[in-house]
Amino acid sequence: MNRGCCIFAFDGDIDYGPQAVLAANLVKKHLNIPVSLITDTDTLEKIDTTIFDKTIITSVDNRDNSRILSGKNIAFKNVNRNKIYDLTPYDRTLLIDSDFLIFSNRLKEYLDSGYNFMICENMKDLCPNRSGSNFSFSPQSLHMLWATNIIFNKTPENKILFDLVDHIRENWAWYGTLYQFDTRRFRNDYAFTVACHIMGGLGAEKYYVALPSPILFNDRDSLVKITNTGLTWVAGDQNILVKTKDQDIHMMNKIELLEKIQALDRLYD
Amino acid sequence: MDDRLVKALAHADYRQTLGIERQRLKDKAHAELVIGYCGGIFTVDRTLIGFVNSIKEYGSAVILDDNGYPIEIENLEDFQARVIGTYFEVTNRYLTDYNEIKQKRTAAKLVDL
């Protein structure tokens, strides 16, 4: 069974290409597996693709899916994530967002396991009294899973799941009413959460096995120092000091990530 | 601002950062104690070590992993070596990191500023 990592990158209001290059370099350094980029021609033209074992060109879905990030309205081109099942060149795929930065070999243990579908169930927020990473659609509904990183095998069952995500996206308002989530924009996290719930026999059992929890930094957190011995952050409105070292990070502040990308690039040399 | 309050707030900042650092190191160690073996996912802890020690003489066994699924371990001796090796490696690193932050007496030093 061949295995590898896939990263989606479609430039919009934010350049995802450079983020994908950084993420790919970190995957190679810490997990030592091949990495493929799934992108469009516009994004591809702007980046050095030598780190990628394969680049897979696909059409971008331009449906409006914007949200406020760091005070700006940012358009996201992320509604075709479920196409990964058909696009991936691997039998066993680690799918990560381009803002998911791997600084440990933890996921290797999970890649080595025999489970067919694994998804991130929780993220750690180091700031006290902040619970943004532990989120339920509503008190009566589901705990949200994070589609930021997923490991899956190409199996007929998983094909049904990825097709189901597409169906959920097409019927977003209906599923939003049923599962009581905010439908103002499409979120892969929500779609995969609902799909896993349905695939698990409508909650009869877990369809997935949980991946390890990375550390979550949101758009109010700033990365202030980058060295080989760790990253230093100022987090939240209270300017709480936090350090990370050898731990995987989901850096939701994509604007900050782009600003610091040259310094971060030096970490995989 | 009253000097007493300035000192108290500085100390509060230090204790908060120290608490976050301690929690981070604990989370990191717990994450590193998870291993993949024979297709299963196992958290290495004192219970697993004791259990594997007690059944090692059988040579092979079915052990339930973290998700409650039965995993056939064909070579318990090799599994034991992996489990104990992981435990020692991770806890020793945890101790080193823990002792290191104990030496740092300001919030800035705790985060390498």
Side-chain angles (χ1 to χ4, degrees):
Chain A
M1 177 185 282
N2 72 336
R3 62 187 193 175
C5 174
C6 286
I7 304 171
F8 278 77
F10 297 97
D11 285 356
D13 290 337
I14 291 176
D15 289 342
Y16 283 91
Q19 292 182 31
V21 172
L22 170 66
N25 275 294
L26 292 170
V27 168
K28 292 251 173 158
K29 179 177 179 180
H30 294 285
L31 301 179
N32 194 25
I33 55 173
V35 183
S36 292
L37 174 69
I38 299 170
T39 188
D40 59 354
T41 48
D42 290 348
T43 307
L44 192 66
E45 282 172 6
K46 291 187 261 177
I47 55 171
D48 178 1
T49 58
T50 48
I51 186 64
F52 297 104
D53 297 85
K54 288 183 180 165
T55 49
I56 298 155
I57 306 292
T58 186
S59 56
V60 65
D61 193 322
N62 278 315
R63 266 171 288 198
D64 180 43
N65 196 36
S66 57
R67 69 171 154 132
I68 303 293
L69 187 71
S70 299
K72 297 173 186 168
N73 193 41
I74 304 289
F76 287 83
K77 297 176 180 176
N78 61 348
V79 298
N80 61 349
R81 188 73 52 88
N82 67 300
K83 298 284 188 287
I84 183 67
Y85 186 89
D86 296 315
L87 293 172
T88 178
Y90 310 113
D91 301 319
R92 186 166 177 76
T93 302
L94 165 65
L95 170 66
I96 61 168
D97 280 2
S98 59
D99 60 358
F100 185 74
L101 306 179
I102 292 179
F103 289 103
S104 80
N105 62 359
R106 288 298 81 210
L107 284 169
K108 196 167 186 309
E109 301 291 339
Y110 293 79
L111 277 166
D112 288 345
S113 78
Y115 292 110
N116 280 327
F117 187 86
M118 295 186 270
I119 188 167
C120 189
E121 195 174 47
N122 284 299
M123 297 212 177
K124 290 191 189 301
D125 194 324
L126 291 174
C127 283
N129 309 319
R130 217 164 65 172
S131 59
S133 57
N134 188 10
F135 174 77
S136 292
F137 294 159
S138 80
Q140 295 80 30
S141 192
L142 305 178
H143 170 83
M144 190 189 83
L145 305 175
W146 291 80
T148 310
N149 54 336
I150 293 172
I151 292 175
F152 69 93
N153 288 349
K154 278 204 172 188
T155 65
E157 209 176 23
N158 281 339
K159 169 71 173 157
I160 295 171
L161 180 133
F162 283 97
D163 287 345
L164 179 58
V165 169
D166 205 29
H167 163 77
I168 292 165
R169 181 176 55 77
E170 287 171 1
N171 299 277
W172 193 236
W174 192 85
Y175 279 99
T177 304
L178 186 64
Y179 282 93
Q180 301 170 20
F181 59 73
D182 183 351
T183 58
R184 282 176 292 181
R185 63 190 170 90
F186 175 76
R187 274 192 73 169
N188 283 295
D189 303 321
Y190 295 4
F192 276 91
T193 301
V194 171
C196 284
H197 179 252
I198 294 171
M199 292 296 289
L202 296 167
E205 64 169 6
K206 271 188 180 179
Y207 181 75
Y208 63 92
V209 161
L211 286 173
S213 305
I215 297 174
L216 176 72
F217 289 102
N218 69 32
D219 60 353
R220 282 173 300 179
D221 305 333
S222 291
L223 180 54
V224 293
K225 190 176 176 189
I226 300 164
T227 67
N228 286 327
T229 57
L231 308 178
T232 304
W233 308 75
V234 176
D237 299 331
Q238 294 170 299
N239 295 329
I240 293 170
L241 291 170
V242 177
K243 181 187 165 187
T244 58
K245 186 187 172 196
D246 302 334
Q247 287 161 294
D248 299 342
I249 288 165
H250 181 202
M251 189 170 172
M252 292 179 77
N253 191 343
K254 295 160 183 63
I255 295 168
E256 171 103 357
L257 176 55
L258 274 175
E259 286 171 1
K260 304 284 167 57
I261 212 148
Q262 284 185 331
L264 286 164
D265 275 341
R266 289 196 286 273
L267 295 179
Y268 56 73
D269 289 338
Chain B
M1 197 187 299
D2 188 315
D3 191 46
R4 291 168 299 179
L5 180 58
V6 171
K7 283 181 182 171
L9 289 176
H11 187 71
D13 281 349
Y14 165 70
R15 293 299 302 191
Q16 183 181 57
T17 310
L18 179 65
I20 292 169
E21 266 296 277
R22 281 183 174 157
Q23 184 61 45
R24 183 185 70 78
L25 291 180
K26 192 180 194 177
D27 292 342
K28 179 170 173 279
H30 282 179
E32 289 171 350
L33 285 168
V34 177
I35 60 169
Y37 194 90
C38 285
I41 301 277
F42 297 90
T43 297
V44 174
D45 58 12
R46 290 169 298 181
T47 306
L48 182 65
I49 291 170
F51 179 61
V52 174
N53 277 346
S54 68
I55 63 169
K56 189 181 71 174
E57 64 188 87
Y58 294 100
S60 65
V62 175
I63 300 181
L64 304 186
D65 80 345
D66 285 3
N67 300 295
Y69 293 110
I71 305 297
E72 187 172 12
I73 308 289
E74 291 180 351
N75 186 343
L76 278 173
E77 201 167 321
D78 182 68
F79 184 53
Q80 183 197 39
R82 177 84 195 280
V83 165
I84 291 178
T86 300
Y87 190 82
F88 284 163
E89 185 187 330
V90 173
T91 52
N92 280 322
R93 187 162 52 233
Y94 185 13
L95 178 68
T96 305
D97 292 343
Y98 191 81
N99 286 338
E100 192 180 309
I101 64 167
K102 276 203 302 191
Q103 312 295 323
K104 298 179 175 176
R105 306 304 299 172
T106 66
K109 282 183 182 168
L110 280 168
V111 296
D112 293 344
L113 280 179

